[in-house]
Amino acid sequence: MSDATTRAAALLAGHRESIDRLDAILVYTLAERFKHTQEVGQLKAQHDLPPSDPAREANQIARLESLAREAGLDPAFAKKFLNFIISEVIRHHEKLKDDGV
């Protein structure tokens, strides 16, 4: 291998180590977030509140789009990602309500 290729391989390895650490942070952060949304879902089910809160969801999406712009992340991607999370949360809340928690 040439010196340039060796340097590139070392840089690549460093970037991949950082990506792996960040992936772990994402997974643990999502797990913590879903712990809280499960608690919210149980409260909603116990008090016969709707599983979805469209006004809050719209505010959260706008907030995350703004944060994404500040962070240099594509706001459309952030919106798509949050919409996926919200749909999972609502699905969990609906199941809790159906299960009579």
Side-chain angles (χ1 to χ4, degrees), residues 5 11 16 19 30 34 75 87:
T5 302
L11 289 170
R16 287 180 172 163
I19 290 167
L30 283 170
F34 275 94
S87 68

Side-chain angles (χ1 to χ4, degrees), residues 32-44:
E32 184 67 20
R33 187 186 196 288
F34 275 94
K35 286 178 192 173
H36 288 283
T37 61
Q38 286 293 94
E39 293 290 328
V40 168
Q42 289 178 4
L43 283 168
K44 286 180 173 185

Side-chain angles (χ1 to χ4, degrees), residues 26-66:
L26 284 171
V27 167
Y28 281 93
T29 300
L30 283 170
E32 184 67 20
R33 187 186 196 288
F34 275 94
K35 286 178 192 173
H36 288 283
T37 61
Q38 286 293 94
E39 293 290 328
V40 168
Q42 289 178 4
L43 283 168
K44 286 180 173 185
Q46 290 166 355
H47 298 282
D48 199 29
L49 297 169
S52 176
D53 183 345
R56 171 149 170 82
E57 293 154 19
N59 287 337
Q60 284 296 93
I61 289 168
R63 181 177 160 268
L64 267 278
E65 285 177 315
S66 176

